[in-house]
Amino acid sequence: MSFGDPNNPYGQPQGQPQQPGYGYPQGQPQQQPGYGYPAAPPAPAYGGGYPGGPVEMPGGVKAARVMLIILGSFQAIGALVFIVAAGWIADMISEAADSSSGVSSSDADAAASFGAGVAIVIGVILIGFALWAILTGAKMAKGGNGLRVSGIVYASLITLLSLLNLLGANFFALISLVLGILIIVFLARGEASAYFNRPRY
C-alpha cells in the first residue's frame, strides 16, 4: 500500500498535493509579533522591565533627597543651639536690665523669661522643620506623590525664609536659598512625577 494507491482508504486522496502532518488536525500557522499578535507592553520608565518590578530612583530625586537631609540636619543643629542658648539669652537680658536705671528686678526677670521663651519657641519650630525635611527625604524611596508635594512645599518655605534672611544681611541664608531652589526644580521635573506616581503592588 502506498499513498498513491487509489484503493487505500487511509491514503492521500488523488488530485491533492500531499500536506505535512496529514491525518492530524492542522493548527494555525505561527505568526510573528506585529502580524495579528499584540505587541509586548512597554517597559516602565525607570528600570524594572516588568510591571511592579523594582523602580530606580531618578538622579534628580536622589539629589533632592540628600539636600533635604542636609538642610534638616543643619536646622536640627540650629534648633539645639537656640534651646541651649535660652538660659544665656535670659542672663544677658537680665544683666542689661539691671545695668539700666529705672528698671525693677521683676521687670528684668520678666524680660529675661520672655527672651528665653522666644529662644525656646524658635528652637522648637526649627526642630519641627528639621524633622519635616529629614523624614521627607528618608521616606522618598518608598513613598508616593504626597512626599514629592511635601518636599516642594518645604523647599518653597525655606526659599522664602532664606530670601527674608538675605534682606537682613544674613549671607549664610544664601546656602539654604540655593538648596531650596534646587529641591523645587528636581522634584518638579517630569521624571520625578513619573517616579512618585509609579504603580505599587
Side-chain angles (χ1 to χ4, degrees):
M1 286 186 189
S2 67
F3 277 133
D5 188 359
N7 296 324
N8 182 1
Y10 300 106
Q12 176 93 7
Q14 288 191 357
Q16 292 185 1
Q18 187 175 0
Q19 296 180 0
Y22 178 74
Y24 295 98
Q26 297 291 319
Q28 292 284 338
Q30 285 193 345
Q31 297 178 348
Q32 297 295 323
Y35 296 101
Y37 283 92
Y46 299 101
Y50 56 92
V55 178
E56 184 180 347
M57 185 183 291
V61 176
K62 288 180 184 177
R65 180 184 188 191
V66 171
M67 291 177 201
L68 282 168
I69 293 173
I70 289 173
L71 275 175
S73 300
F74 280 130
Q75 286 174 344
I77 292 169
L80 291 176
V81 168
F82 266 98
I83 291 172
V84 168
W88 177 75
I89 290 171
D91 290 341
M92 292 286 292
I93 293 174
S94 180
E95 287 176 9
D98 287 341
S99 63
S100 62
S101 59
V103 178
S104 66
S105 62
S106 62
D107 289 340
D109 289 341
S113 298
F114 178 76
V118 168
I120 290 173
V121 167
I122 291 173
V124 169
I125 291 171
L126 285 176
I127 286 177
F129 267 87
L131 287 175
W132 182 6
I134 292 170
L135 291 176
T136 300
K139 292 184 176 183
M140 278 191 176
K142 297 182 181 179
N145 197 44
L147 282 173
R148 175 176 164 260
V149 172
S150 174
I152 291 173
V153 170
Y154 169 84
S156 301
L157 288 174
I158 290 300
T159 302
L160 178 63
L161 293 173
S162 299
L163 283 172
L164 293 176
N165 281 332
L166 278 176
L167 293 177
N170 180 2
F171 295 106
F172 290 109
L174 190 60
I175 298 170
S176 59
L177 174 67
V178 171
L179 291 178
I181 292 171
L182 287 174
I183 290 169
I184 294 170
V185 169
F186 288 145
L187 293 181
R189 284 182 174 173
E191 62 181 14
S193 176
Y195 171 75
F196 285 108
N197 287 309
R198 67 194 185 278
R200 292 171 182 82
Y201 299 99

